[in-house]
Amino acid sequence: MTTTTPYPPDPHAPHNELPGRIMAREMAEQPAVLRRILSQGAPAIGRVAQEIAARAPRFVLLTARGTSDHAALYAKYLLEIRLGLPCGLTSMSTTTAYGARPDLTDVLVIAVSQSGGSPDLVASTRAARGAGAITLAVTNNPDSPLAAVSEYHLDIMAGPERALPATKTYTASLLALYLFVEGLRGGDGTPAMALPDLAEQLLARQEEVRTLAARYRFAERMVITSRGYGYPTAKEAALKLMETSYIPALAYSGADLLHGPLAMVDNVSPVIAVVTDGKGGEVLQPVLDRLRGRGADLVVIGARHQVEQASAGFVLPTEGVAEELQPILEILPLQLLAYEVTIARGQDPDAPRALAKVTETR
């Protein structure tokens, strides 16, 4: 018989009775965090966006690691699609290890970090500012070294995050970045107002996720795929599964999956497809057809009509939700899935082995 942790957990129960209690509590806080950003954080985000828009950056570079790197990738899609601004994801070692000093005049450098404490992020952002860049830190700590070396700062207002797997800071970063990009284009972020209630509804469906998790209790590897705005979700879901349950989870763009990795997919290989309701889902359709043709154990996270064509899945409330906002909802059942799979495998998702909350790369 499998013992599962109550969700949300009882905060007064002894630690040894509740593996995963911290991660569960922090996942449950996400609707409140989203409401806080929309009600308290949005005005400050809007002011920063207006100031930066007035400086008319010609290019954007995004700097991050781990979960924050997936938030940065989401911002790349937003900036290129919504604003037409060319973007790149930086390789920090070019600055921190090799000492390169490119001319960054009129370039916006956005550094995304939960803690704002990683030395390479701080060093590369300081160097970028010295090279003429407009620098913006997006962190959960306004007193962090990264915020201190940056010209501008966005506080994602998630509150302390103690579980090693980042959950609420990820969705908070996505929403803050969405509001920032909307501010750059003169929008007010009104389409995001429905997100907290929808997030609450999704997190209440844990029993559905627990049933889904039974498929992966003994999985030896997994493939997660998506396209467009859903691709950062696929990468973040893979990271959550690897760092909590230790299952090798490989994330591919649907386009990249067809360029070779598809050969490893067979009828015993679990595949999770994150299917956004919009252009991303449309261009992913040929990939889903190929996966079905190979007899893959295909699970879909997406709209009802997509889930009904798969082996199993989780229906998202995509009706009336803009495609660019769906990633903030898509990741929630996948966070729960990582949690449930880890509990089912007899491990504690709060404390993955060999990991620290702040990773000090240089």
Side-chain angles (χ1 to χ4, degrees), residues 4-11 18-31 161-168 203-204 206 210 244 332 335-340 343 348-351:
T4 55
T5 301
Y7 182 84
D10 175 3
L18 288 177
R21 80 197 192 290
I22 303 173
M23 182 180 177
R25 183 171 62 242
E26 290 173 352
M27 287 189 294
E29 291 174 12
Q30 289 176 105
E161 188 172 59
R162 295 185 173 86
L164 284 175
T167 54
K168 64 179 182 175
L203 289 167
Q206 192 193 15
R210 188 170 293 158
T244 57
L332 299 178
Q335 290 173 348
L336 288 174
L337 182 66
Y339 169 87
E340 290 292 346
I343 294 293
D348 185 354
D350 284 343

Side-chain angles (χ1 to χ4, degrees), residues 257-260 262-263 265 284-296 298:
L257 185 63
L258 297 183
H259 285 267
L262 185 67
V265 176
L284 187 63
Q285 194 60 51
V287 181
L288 301 179
D289 294 340
R290 291 284 298 275
L291 289 168
R292 293 188 193 98
R294 293 188 62 80
L298 177 62

Side-chain angles (χ1 to χ4, degrees), residues 29-42 44-45 48 67-69 71-72 74-75 110-116 136-144 146-147 152-161 166-180 328 335 357:
E29 291 174 12
Q30 289 176 105
V33 171
L34 298 177
R35 289 190 182 97
R36 187 183 308 135
I37 294 168
L38 289 166
S39 63
Q40 300 175 32
I45 293 172
V48 169
T67 284
S68 294
D69 196 36
Y74 168 73
I110 303 175
V112 186
S113 171
Q114 171 203 325
S115 67
L136 169 67
V138 181
T139 82
N140 196 36
N141 183 2
D143 298 319
S144 64
L146 183 61
Y152 298 98
H153 177 256
L154 301 184
D155 184 358
I156 65 172
M157 307 181 74
E161 188 172 59
T167 54
K168 64 179 182 175
T169 53
Y170 180 67
T171 49
S173 295
L174 297 191
L175 180 54
L177 287 163
Y178 168 80
L179 292 173
F180 172 69
I328 299 173
Q335 290 173 348
K357 191 62 180 169

